[in-house]
């Protein structure tokens, strides 16, 4: 056949139709077809690229690896089985993405690649570490004692005192450090100290393990690390500082002897109380040289290295009022002290025989004050320091503050501080005579605090006669119960939450409470049987009834709550607290500004409502200020601003919280105003100004209070007797019968007179402001067995009347006349006689003696029935009209 008739050759790919068919086939089949087509082509040279039927197919083939190009060899794939080769056949150093792998496997690194990278990174880090270790030079220990002082300022920015700054430290040589101290520190902090190289990986792991179990820990840091951190580096918690600490510690561990490390560590460590170093600590806690410390005292000082703020038995309220209280700190210190001594026995550094000698905790002495912190200055500085440390959010530690350089601007007004001190000193000099009455007038203590109602600023306090001699700040919590000054919180709770209905089931009664008006009528009888809200008799843990007595065993009959507050009758407010719920009374007190800490008493017993709690004078003044501001609560504060190196590092922000509605707060104020004008608080009445307040006296006559306020200023004054020798472990409150020459002490006596004298001077020159008129609130209810008159209740006096008199069933009470100006301010006999009462008055106050754990007996009456009221009563009833109140001592 001739050539011109020969059929033209078909394209290798089979034409467009073949390409389409190939595209519709699975990828595997397409590849096989392509290979067969390529292999059968006689005209294709060996090793040439295959021919594709279309551009689309070529692209798809390229995405799959390009046919024979995946292996880089011939059609048989002999060379295509190689790994890590490029298209040109060259082998790659890093086979990534991985050749010969498809899909996600192409991007998964091989074990060889991963191993190589890890080894390379480890080698690099070792090289860097080696260079860093070779180049690091441990710096010289910093000079912690600076020449700077902390300067405290009055509220007007004039200087109060410059103190602190020179850290109390005296270095010791290694030979001067007791072996017992070295052993205690090693057992407590770093058991491997003598063998480790500064870093103890096992110690770090052990610390984490013990921490997870909640057990006692040594801490992860070695003694060498702590020495480096305390003496050579800042306290910043940053990554760079940690990095420096690691390498410097390794260097110090290799180049500095263990003796020098231990010597340096104990000389620079901070032990609290401004003491840096063992010698200063021995002086601060035991007033002896370090060389004279025994093993027990050394074990205690070793506990402080874990954190003096939480292990100093004196307490550190600047950290946390509850968690760092003296009670909690003592408990922690005893536990760790015991543990350290036991660990020393395990480590073989203390014999069991020697350990057995130390069965009593070596209680350190109380902190001492500098001479320039005498008088009230030391108390003020202490309050401001604690407040700042507690509110600095951890940005400044006690140790850093001790180094000095801080400007602390306080809220204290010098003039008011002086006036409060003078008012108390006036009473002390005129009436308290320990030489004349050693068994009655010794250990008499006063405390006081004054708070600006609009801001919460503490403008004045009285902590005691001298901060360098009496170490407990009486303006802070002392343990003295507040008595009937707690009753306003009961009234506030009754108006805010309401009385439960005894006729309804418990759940429904809780949801359908009835707000109580101050006009409500309650039974004011003496030895009143107290019931639960559902009228069942309340029984204590000994299954005995609670019979509530009034001071002087006086019975009032059915009286209004307003009149009961005026005369400080106990039984109506104890029963009111039960009707409302003592839990609600506690909630109201906390809303006003008290705190649920160690000083809040057991709220599960009836006596809670009449003041078995013992908050501080500062807290009481602050909580009454909430009533003065129509229900707006502001936290008391003592520091406005703190500067360091010229920069402001702390600034107080005034914040207020709604505690009560204005109706509730203003009605409480109106009732307390009546107490001052016509009730037990008349000695506190201010000429030409509105004042409201309440007296308070506790069972056994062991403390007396007056807390009151004007619209601008709230002040609390306390009086009690307690041995001020902190070394006496059995200190307790003492009775005040006969103190100051009086038969008994009530809130209406010395505390009210001090309040009056101070407030007269403190508000002088300020604008005269009246309390807001209260709006009607609540319903008139009958409680405690009070009988509702038929057919309608008798008219109850309105708040505008001079005094809320008792209902017809009660004995009427005549208003107490104002004492004549001819009487001297402290001439109680003159005032009482002019009031128509006996010389020593008739106390109408009295509270529970205090409850024992779980609500057990709280003081028994004559017949042995449990009561929550005063044991002793004053006998100064009037000789004439028995309905007259007993003069200035007419009640709590």
């Amino acid at each position: 056949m001739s050539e011109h008739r020969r059929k033209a050759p078909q394209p290798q790919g089979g034409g467009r139709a073949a390409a389409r068919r190939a595209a519709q086939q699975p990828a595997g089949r397409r590849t096989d077809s392509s290979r067969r087509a390529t292999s059968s082509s006689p005209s294709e040279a060996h090793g040439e690229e295959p021919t594709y039927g279309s551009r689309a197919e070529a692209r798809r083939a390229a995405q799959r690896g390009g046919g024979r190009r995946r292996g880089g060899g011939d059609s048989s794939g002999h060379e295509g089985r190689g790994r890590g080769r490029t298209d040109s056949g060259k082998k790659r150093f890093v086979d990534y993405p991985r050749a010969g792998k498809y899909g996600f496997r192409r991007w998964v690194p091989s074990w060889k690649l991963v191993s190589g990278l890890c080894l390379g990174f480890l080698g690099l880090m070792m090289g860097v570490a080696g260079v860093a270790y070779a180049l690091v030079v441990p710096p010289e220990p910093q000079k912690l004692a600076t020449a700077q002082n902390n300067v405290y300022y009055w509220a007007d920015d004039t200087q109060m005192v410059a103190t602190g700054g020179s850290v109390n430290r005296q270095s010791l040589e290694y030979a001067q450090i007791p072996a017992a101290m070295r052993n205690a520190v090693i057992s407590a902090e770093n058991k491997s100290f003598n063998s480790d190289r500064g870093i103890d990986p096992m110690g770090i792991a052990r610390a984490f393990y013990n921490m997870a179990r909640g057990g006692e820990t040594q801490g992860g840091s070695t003694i060498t690390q702590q020495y480096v951190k305390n003496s050579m580096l800042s306290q910043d918690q940053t990554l760079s500082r940690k990095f420096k600490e690691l390498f410097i510690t390794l260097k110090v561990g290799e180049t500095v002897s263990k003796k020098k490390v231990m010597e340096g560590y104990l000389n620079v460590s901070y032990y609290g109380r401004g003491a840096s170093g063992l010698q200063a600590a021995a002086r601060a806690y035991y007033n002896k040289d370090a060389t004279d410390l025994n093993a027990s005292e050394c074990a205690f000082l070793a506990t402080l290295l874990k954190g003096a703020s939480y292990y100093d038995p004196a307490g550190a309220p600047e950290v946390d009022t509850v968690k760092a209280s003296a009670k909690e700190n003592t408990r922690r210190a005893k536990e760790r002290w015991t543990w350290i001594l036991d660990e020393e026995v395990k480590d073989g550094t203390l014999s069991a025989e020697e350990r057995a000698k130390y069965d009593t905790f070596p209680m350190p002495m109380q902190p001492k004050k500098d001479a320039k912190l005498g008088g009230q200055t030391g108390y003020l500085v202490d309050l401001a320091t604690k407040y700042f440390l507690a509110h600095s959010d951890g940005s400044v530690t006690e140790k850093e503050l001790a180094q000095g350089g801080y400007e602390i601007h306080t809220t204290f007004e010098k003039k008011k501080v002086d006036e409060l001190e003078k008012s108390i000193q006036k009473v002390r000099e005129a009436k308290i005579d320990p030489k004349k009455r050693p068994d009655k007038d010794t250990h008499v203590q006063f405390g006081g605090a004054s708070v600006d109602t609009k801001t919460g600023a503490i403008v004045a306090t009285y902590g005691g006669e001298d901060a360098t001699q009496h170490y407990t700040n009486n303006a802070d919590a002392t343990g003295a119960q507040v008595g009937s000054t707690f009753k306003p919180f009961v009234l506030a709770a009754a108006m805010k939450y309401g009385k439960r209905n005894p006729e309804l089931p418990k759940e429904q009664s809780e949801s359908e409470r009835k707000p109580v008006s101050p006009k409500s009528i309650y039974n004011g009888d003496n030895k009143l049987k107290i019931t639960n809200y559902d009228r069942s008799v309340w029984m204590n843990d000994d299954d005995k009834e609670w019979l509530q007595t009034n001071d002087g065993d006086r019975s009032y009959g059915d009286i209004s709550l307003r009149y009961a507050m005026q005369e400080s009758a106990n039984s109506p407010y104890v029963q009111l607290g039960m009707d409302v719920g003592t839990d609600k009374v506690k909630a109201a007190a906390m809303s006003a500004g008290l705190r649920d800490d160690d000083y809040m008493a057991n709220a599960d017993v009836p006596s809670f409502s009449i003041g078995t709690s013992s908050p501080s004078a500062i807290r009481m003044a602050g909580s009454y200020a909430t009533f003065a501001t129509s229900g707006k609560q502001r936290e008391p504060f003592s520091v406005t601003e703190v500067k360091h190196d010229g920069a402001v590092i702390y600034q107080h922000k005034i914040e207020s919280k709604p505690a009560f509605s204005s109706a509730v707060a203003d009605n409480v104020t109106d009732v307390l105003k009546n107490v001052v004008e016509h009730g037990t608080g008349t000695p506190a009445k201010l000429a030409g100004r509105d004042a409201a307040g309440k007296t308070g006296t506790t069972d056994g006559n062991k403390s007396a209070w007056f807390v009151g306020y004007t619209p601008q200023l709230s002040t609390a004054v306390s009086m009690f007797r307690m041995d001020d020798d902190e070394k006496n472990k059995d200190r307790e409150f003492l009775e005040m019968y006969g103190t100051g020459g009086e038969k008994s002490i009530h809130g209406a006596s010395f505390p009210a007179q001090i309040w009056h004298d101070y407030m007269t001077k403190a508000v002088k020159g300020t604008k005269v402001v009246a309390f807001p008129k209260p709006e009607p609130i609540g319903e008139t209810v009958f409680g405690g067995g009070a009988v509702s008159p038929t057919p309608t209740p008798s008219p109850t006096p309105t708040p505008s009347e001079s005094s809320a008199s008792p209902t017809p069933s009660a004995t009427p009470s005549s208003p107490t006349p104002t004492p004549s100006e001819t009487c001297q301010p402290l001439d109680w006999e003159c005032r009482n006689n002019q009031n128509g009462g006996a010389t020593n008055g008739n106390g109408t106050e009295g509270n529970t003696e205090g409850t024992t754990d779980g609500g057990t007996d709280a003081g028994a009456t004559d017949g042995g029935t449990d009561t929550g009221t005063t044991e002793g009563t004053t006998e100064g009833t009037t000789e004439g009209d028995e309905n007259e109140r007993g003069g200035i001592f007419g009640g709590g």
Side-chain angles (χ1 to χ4, degrees):
M1 183 183 296
S2 63
E3 289 205 22
H4 70 274
R5 298 183 62 185
R6 187 178 298 170
K7 186 182 254 186
Q10 296 295 321
Q12 295 294 325
R16 294 183 179 178
R20 283 195 301 271
R21 287 192 298 273
Q24 294 170 357
Q25 293 176 357
R29 296 180 61 185
R30 290 199 304 268
T31 303
D32 293 342
S33 299
S34 175
R35 287 178 177 174
R36 285 197 300 270
T38 303
S39 301
S40 61
S41 176
S43 61
E44 183 177 352
H46 180 72
E48 291 184 0
E49 292 292 325
T51 304
Y52 298 97
S54 67
R55 294 181 179 178
E57 185 179 2
R59 284 195 300 272
R60 286 192 293 270
Q63 292 170 356
R64 295 194 301 269
R68 282 181 298 162
R69 285 179 295 176
R70 290 180 303 210
D74 60 10
S75 60
S76 63
H78 292 164
E79 294 185 19
R81 294 189 181 92
R83 295 292 184 262
R85 293 183 180 273
T86 62
D87 292 344
S88 60
K90 295 181 179 180
K91 188 174 182 179
R92 292 184 296 174
F93 181 73
V94 178
D95 182 21
Y96 193 80
R98 298 176 67 186
K101 300 292 181 181
Y102 319 116
F104 77 91
R105 293 182 181 84
R106 182 174 169 81
W107 303 99
V108 177
S110 65
W111 67 270
K112 292 181 178 179
L113 180 60
V114 172
S115 299
L117 288 175
C118 289
L119 291 173
F121 180 76
L122 182 60
L124 179 64
M125 291 302 296
M126 291 179 65
V128 171
V131 172
Y133 178 80
L135 295 178
V136 70
V137 177
E140 290 295 321
Q142 297 176 349
K143 294 183 179 180
L144 298 180
T146 68
Q148 298 184 82
N149 285 317
N150 291 324
V151 183
Y152 292 78
Y153 294 89
W154 295 103
D156 62 0
D157 288 333
T158 58
Q159 183 172 317
M160 179 196 305
V161 66
T163 183
S166 56
V167 173
N168 180 17
R169 177 163 58 89
Q170 180 181 346
S171 296
L172 297 173
E173 297 292 335
Y174 182 82
Q176 296 174 297
I177 299 173
M181 187 66 194
R182 301 195 300 266
N183 294 334
V185 171
I186 291 174
S187 292
E189 301 289 324
N190 183 193
K191 289 180 180 291
S192 63
F193 172 72
N194 290 317
S195 59
D196 64 42
R197 296 188 175 183
I199 301 294
D200 181 16
M202 291 300 296
I204 296 174
R206 183 171 55 250
F208 275 109
Y209 175 72
N210 288 339
M211 189 183 302
R213 293 176 55 202
E216 185 70 64
T217 67
Q218 290 182 315
S221 297
T222 63
I223 289 176
T224 308
Q225 282 177 275
Q226 295 179 61
Y227 166 62
V228 169
K229 180 176 65 176
N230 292 339
S231 64
M232 302 178 181
L233 299 171
S234 69
Q235 302 301 308
D236 298 335
Q237 297 297 320
T238 61
L239 185 61
S240 61
R241 192 199 66 75
K242 291 288 186 182
F243 192 73
K244 290 179 182 178
E245 178 187 318
L246 174 63
F247 286 102
I248 294 176
T249 299
L250 290 171
K251 194 77 169 184
V252 169
E254 291 292 332
T255 60
V256 180
S257 69
K258 292 293 184 180
K259 289 184 177 182
K260 282 295 182 182
V261 171
M262 177 62 75
E263 174 190 305
Y265 173 61
L266 293 178
N267 278 330
V268 301
S269 293
Y270 186 66
Y271 296 79
R273 302 189 183 185
S276 286
L278 179 61
Q279 175 64 15
R283 282 291 179 186
Y285 288 91
Y286 293 110
N287 195 29
K288 59 172 64 174
D289 290 328
T291 53
D292 298 328
L293 294 170
N294 61 38
S296 178
E297 293 164 340
C298 288
F300 165 71
L301 293 179
T303 69
L304 299 173
L305 297 174
K306 191 176 177 66
S309 296
Y310 287 101
Y311 288 89
D312 183 351
E318 68 273 8
V319 178
D320 190 301
T321 303
V322 178
K323 293 182 180 179
S325 65
K327 179 180 178 181
E328 283 298 300
N329 279 16
T330 301
R331 178 188 63 78
R332 275 189 294 266
K334 287 181 177 179
E335 288 179 357
R336 188 162 176 82
W337 166 79
T338 300
W339 177 79
I340 291 175
L341 289 174
D342 291 343
E343 288 298 304
E344 289 186 73
V345 174
K346 292 178 183 178
D347 297 338
T349 56
L350 182 68
S351 67
E353 293 77 12
E354 183 75 8
R355 168 67 181 90
K357 297 179 182 178
Y358 305 121
D359 56 352
T360 302
F361 180 70
M363 182 64 73
M365 63 184 186
Q366 286 293 316
K368 290 185 176 181
K369 303 287 186 179
D370 294 337
K372 57 186 172 184
L373 297 178
Q376 297 307 304
T377 304
Y379 299 123
L380 300 176
V381 167
D382 187 53
L383 280 174
T385 300
K386 289 178 178 179
Y387 184 88
F388 168 55
L389 290 175
H391 292 80
S392 66
D393 297 327
S395 59
V396 178
T397 65
E398 182 185 2
K399 178 180 178 180
E400 291 171 329
L401 186 63
Q403 295 175 21
Y406 293 86
E407 294 181 17
I408 301 174
H409 296 259
T410 75
T411 59
F412 307 127
E413 298 181 21
K414 188 177 188 306
K415 184 177 180 181
K416 287 185 173 65
V417 171
D418 291 342
E419 291 296 344
L420 183 56
E421 185 176 23
K422 288 177 182 177
S423 299
I424 292 174
Q425 198 62 28
K426 178 181 176 181
V427 170
R428 185 181 289 278
E429 292 175 356
K431 289 292 182 177
I432 309 302
D433 191 345
K435 293 182 179 179
K436 184 177 181 180
R437 292 177 292 273
D439 59 332
K440 306 294 184 183
D441 286 11
T442 54
H443 310 308
V444 173
Q445 297 293 331
F446 294 93
S450 193
V451 173
D452 186 320
T453 61
K454 302 299 181 184
T455 63
I458 305 170
V459 297
T461 66
Y462 180 85
E465 289 189 86
D466 193 322
T468 62
Q469 300 175 20
H470 174 72
Y471 304 125
T472 301
N473 188 344
N474 294 342
D476 213 335
T478 61
Q481 294 181 355
V482 296
S484 286
T485 58
F486 204 80
K487 289 175 182 173
F489 305 129
V490 184
L491 182 60
M495 290 188 285
K496 178 178 181 179
Y497 299 108
K499 176 182 180 292
R500 294 172 287 187
N501 188 341
E503 305 297 336
L504 299 176
K506 183 175 181 180
E507 294 75 11
Q508 188 176 356
S509 179
E510 286 289 344
S511 62
E512 297 183 19
R513 289 173 172 266
K514 182 183 296 184
V516 175
S517 166
K519 301 177 183 180
S520 297
I521 306 301
Y522 267 73
N523 190 337
D525 285 346
N526 187 52
K527 294 186 179 180
L528 179 69
K529 184 181 294 185
I530 300 302
T531 65
N532 296 302
Y533 84 95
D534 60 1
R535 296 175 183 164
S536 62
V537 177
W538 191 90
M539 310 294 285
N540 65 13
D541 285 354
D542 292 334
D543 204 31
K544 294 181 180 180
E545 297 178 349
W546 186 287
L547 299 180
Q548 182 61 56
T549 64
N550 295 318
D551 194 41
D553 290 329
R554 181 179 177 184
S555 288
Y556 296 87
D558 293 351
I559 57 176
S560 69
L561 293 176
R562 179 182 175 86
Y563 185 74
M565 187 76 78
Q566 172 185 312
E567 297 301 303
S568 201
N570 291 331
S571 51
Y573 277 91
V574 172
Q575 186 58 59
L576 178 63
M578 298 299 288
D579 291 346
V580 175
T582 50
D583 59 327
K584 299 299 183 185
V585 174
K586 180 177 179 179
M590 292 177 62
S591 294
L594 301 189
R595 294 192 296 198
D596 188 12
D597 54 21
D598 291 346
Y599 307 104
M600 188 72 79
N602 179 13
D604 296 330
V605 293
S607 62
F608 177 76
S609 294
I610 48 175
T612 55
S613 298
S614 52
S616 67
I618 293 173
R619 283 285 158 188
M620 288 301 291
S623 62
Y624 270 48
T626 302
F627 299 130
T629 56
S630 296
K632 297 181 179 63
Q633 192 270 330
R634 298 179 179 91
E635 279 292 297
F637 68 100
S638 58
V639 176
T640 57
E641 184 179 79
V642 177
K643 296 181 179 179
H644 188 252
D645 293 334
V648 176
I649 62 172
Y650 171 80
Q651 198 162 36
H652 177 77
K653 295 181 180 179
I654 298 174
E655 298 178 352
S656 63
K657 299 183 295 186
F660 307 108
S661 67
S662 59
V664 170
D666 293 344
N667 271 279
V668 171
T669 293
D670 187 67
V671 171
L672 296 183
K673 178 183 176 184
N674 181 64
V675 172
V676 172
E677 292 180 346
H678 306 288
T680 60
T682 52
K685 188 174 181 179
L686 300 177
R689 287 183 183 270
D690 276 1
K694 184 70 187 76
T695 53
T697 310
T698 56
D699 191 32
N701 207 216
K702 294 179 179 178
S703 63
W705 290 72
F706 187 84
V707 186
Y709 54 94
T710 65
Q712 302 104 321
L713 199 62
S714 179
T715 301
V717 177
S718 66
M719 178 181 178
F720 55 92
R721 285 184 67 210
M722 175 184 269
D723 184 359
D724 60 353
D725 183 6
E726 284 82 358
K727 294 181 180 179
N728 183 359
K729 298 179 182 179
D730 300 321
R731 288 194 307 159
E732 59 181 12
F733 288 93
L734 307 174
E735 294 180 345
M736 293 191 291
Y737 297 117
T739 297
E742 305 296 334
K743 182 165 289 188
S744 60
I745 300 298
H746 290 77
S749 58
F750 298 140
Q753 184 62 50
I754 291 169
W755 189 94
H756 169 272
D757 292 349
Y758 163 71
M759 290 292 285
T760 298
K761 298 290 182 63
V763 300
K764 185 177 181 179
T766 62
K767 184 179 180 181
V768 177
V769 181
F771 288 124
K773 184 177 181 180
E775 60 183 88
I777 188 172
E779 301 179 26
T780 300
V781 300
F782 294 81
V787 180
S788 174
T790 304
T792 57
S794 301
T796 304
T798 62
S800 61
E801 295 182 19
S802 62
S803 173
S805 300
T807 60
S809 61
T811 305
S813 175
S814 302
T816 304
T818 304
S820 169
E821 293 299 326
T822 59
C823 291
Q824 296 301 314
L826 298 176
D827 192 343
W828 307 119
E829 184 173 348
C830 171
R831 287 172 176 247
N832 289 333
N833 289 336
Q834 289 197 0
N835 284 342
T839 300
N840 291 302
N842 173 31
T844 61
E845 169 63 16
N847 294 347
T848 60
E849 183 175 63
T851 60
T852 56
D853 294 340
T856 54
D857 305 320
T861 59
D862 299 353
T865 305
D866 296 345
T867 70
T869 58
T870 56
E871 297 172 340
T873 59
T874 55
E875 295 133 21
T877 55
T878 51
E879 297 176 2
D881 185 356
E882 65 178 3
N883 295 327
E884 285 286 322
R885 282 195 311 108
I888 200 165
F889 295 120

